[in-house]
Amino acid sequence: MSEIDRSLIGTSAPPFVVEVERGAIRKFADAIGDGNPLYRDAAFARRHGYEGIVAPPTFPTCFRAPADPPWIAALDRRRIVAGEMGFHYHRPIVAGMRFECRLQLVGVDEKTGARGAMSLLRQVMSGYLLGDDGVAQECVFTVRRTTVYRSAQQVASRSLA
């Protein structure tokens, strides 16, 4: 089934920069229904040992590259479904941080489910803290994400149902 270009396994998309804004953190916390004051009140966050307003653990899900990575760009968007995600942090993300995000395709698996064949694209995004000089420093977080690419038959059978 695979329409995925396996020669791209191990390649990276162009890095992109993300600035973490306190308003974006607040909106994200509101969207997930989490009223934790760490996500809204800088003084509260500092009293609890943080540098400032803290981002919720799943916040990097909203970090988007300006363009699709090469392994996604040629695919039919109607057939893409979010899969599993996992987050690893070396330290919390707080408002005011700037990151260089690097996205890599680390593997592709083929599976057959109840509705047919699918490809599982395994990707890793790492966020490197940018210094005042704009140079990437320490890795602050890593997100492992699986994107499901459904077969054309799955999409066709769902639209007929």
Side-chain angles (χ1 to χ4, degrees):
M1 140 163 197
S2 189
E3 299 167 46
I4 311 300
D5 183 349
R6 288 177 171 275
S7 71
L8 295 173
I9 295 172
T11 64
S12 297
F16 59 98
V17 173
V18 172
E19 295 184 29
V20 179
E21 300 170 350
R22 64 188 292 166
I25 292 172
R26 187 178 315 109
K27 285 180 185 178
F28 188 85
D30 289 345
I32 63 172
D34 195 328
N36 190 328
L38 287 175
Y39 308 148
R40 294 169 168 72
D41 184 337
F44 179 88
R46 282 192 288 278
R47 282 194 308 275
H48 287 84
Y50 297 98
E51 299 171 30
I53 292 176
V54 180
T58 56
F59 188 70
T61 58
C62 62
F63 295 176
R64 297 278 183 251
D68 284 336
W71 53 88
I72 297 284
L75 301 180
D76 180 351
R77 300 294 266 150
R78 296 170 300 167
R79 295 168 49 194
I80 296 174
V81 179
E84 180 179 28
M85 294 186 89
F87 302 84
H88 177 78
Y89 292 91
H90 298 281
R91 63 188 259 201
I93 295 175
V94 297
M97 287 182 162
R98 290 179 57 235
F99 294 105
E100 178 181 279
C101 294
R102 302 173 189 168
L103 182 60
Q104 182 180 35
L105 178 64
V106 296
V108 176
D109 300 314
E110 303 297 329
K111 298 260 180 171
T112 302
R115 294 204 166 124
M118 65 189 87
S119 298
L120 305 176
L121 291 85
R122 292 182 287 113
Q123 305 165 82
V124 174
M125 179 175 61
S126 299
Y128 293 84
L129 188 63
L130 287 175
D132 293 336
D133 58 2
V135 175
Q137 302 172 344
E138 67 180 292
C139 181
V140 173
F141 67 88
T142 302
V143 178
R144 295 192 177 280
R145 173 175 64 199
T146 300
T147 300
V148 179
Y149 190 60
R150 301 176 297 161
S151 69
Q153 293 83 8
Q154 284 184 24
V155 175
S157 68
R158 286 190 70 81
S159 62
L160 295 174

